[in-house]
Amino acid sequence: MSASTLSPLAALLAGHTAAPAIGAPARAPASYATVIAQIEQIADDLGRIGIGADDRVAIVLPNGPAMAACFLAVAAATGAAPLNPSYRVAEFEFYLDDLAPKAMILPAGEASSAREVAARAGLPIIELLEDASQPAGIFQLDYRAQAAATVQRRPGAADIALLLHTSGTTSRPKLVPLSQANLCASARHIAHTLR
C-alpha cells in the first residue's frame, strides 16, 4: 500500500520501513514495515466488527511495547482512548460513561476492574494476546467474542485519533480530542528537536 493511502499516523511511519520501530529488552525489534502492516490489519479487523473512524475504543493495557503498538494501530483507525489499568471501578465507570466506546481492549484472560465494569455495561471486550517470541510490539487481537457486523466498515483514517481527559483537579475531568494531524505534527516537532 502506498503512503498516500495510509492514515496520517501510518504514513508518518512509512518513510522508515526497514528500520527498527519498536524495541524491548530480550525481544527482537519490530520494523516500521511490520508495525505498518499490523496497523492496516487492525483497521480491517475493526471495520469487520463494525467499528468505524468516528467511533471510540478504550485501551486498558500496561505500559510496554504492545501498548505502544496497539495505541498506534487503534489511533490510525478510530478514536483511541487509553485508560490507566490502575483505575478503580468508579473511575472506569466514569470514564467509560463519558467516552461511550464501542469496545475495550484488555490483556487476554486478565481479571481487572476494567473487565468487571465492561462486562456489567455490556461493552464488547477485545483481548490482546502477546507472544514473547514475536518482535516487540507485535500482538494479536482476539475478536472471537465479537460477532461480525451486519454493516462492515473500514475505519480508514480517523480524524480524531486520541481522546484524553484533563486531570480534573478543580472540576470534573473534561474530554480532550486530538486529531491525527495534531499527533503527527507533535511527533515531527519532537523528532526535529531531538535530532
Side-chain angles (χ1 to χ4, degrees):
M1 185 171 277
S2 72
S4 64
T5 60
L6 296 172
S7 72
L9 282 173
L12 181 68
L13 306 176
H16 314 281
T17 54
I22 297 178
R27 303 269 301 270
S31 70
Y32 280 89
T34 302
V35 172
I36 292 167
Q38 183 168 259
I39 288 170
E40 292 174 332
Q41 181 62 56
I42 289 170
D44 288 340
D45 292 345
L46 291 174
R48 271 193 287 285
I49 62 168
I51 296 175
D54 295 330
D55 294 320
R56 298 168 178 181
V57 173
I59 303 170
V60 185
L61 298 170
N63 289 336
M67 172 56 187
C70 184
F71 166 74
L72 282 172
V74 173
T78 192
L83 298 174
N84 187 336
S86 300
Y87 284 155
R88 296 181 301 268
V89 167
E91 292 169 307
F92 278 118
E93 288 172 342
F94 167 78
Y95 289 117
L96 293 178
D97 183 59
D98 199 41
L99 288 165
K102 292 270 292 228
M104 178 185 286
I105 298 175
L106 295 169
E110 189 175 293
S112 66
S113 296
R115 187 177 295 272
E116 176 187 330
V117 172
R120 272 200 322 257
L123 180 63
I125 295 172
I126 299 169
E127 297 202 335
L128 183 139
L129 304 133
E130 191 173 12
D131 179 352
S133 70
Q134 293 295 311
I138 301 306
F139 59 86
Q140 297 292 318
L141 291 179
D142 183 352
Y143 303 94
R144 284 182 294 182
Q146 312 305 313
T150 53
V151 177
Q152 297 180 4
R153 300 188 299 185
R154 165 108 171 116
D159 180 44
I160 300 301
L162 174 60
L163 296 131
L164 296 173
H165 280 88
T166 61
S167 64
T169 54
T170 58
S171 65
R172 176 184 163 115
K174 308 266 187 314
L175 190 58
V176 178
L178 298 170
S179 69
Q180 286 206 37
N182 181 278
L183 294 181
C184 290
S186 182
R188 285 186 191 101
H189 291 305
I190 291 168
H192 178 74
T193 299
L194 296 177
R195 189 167 300 157

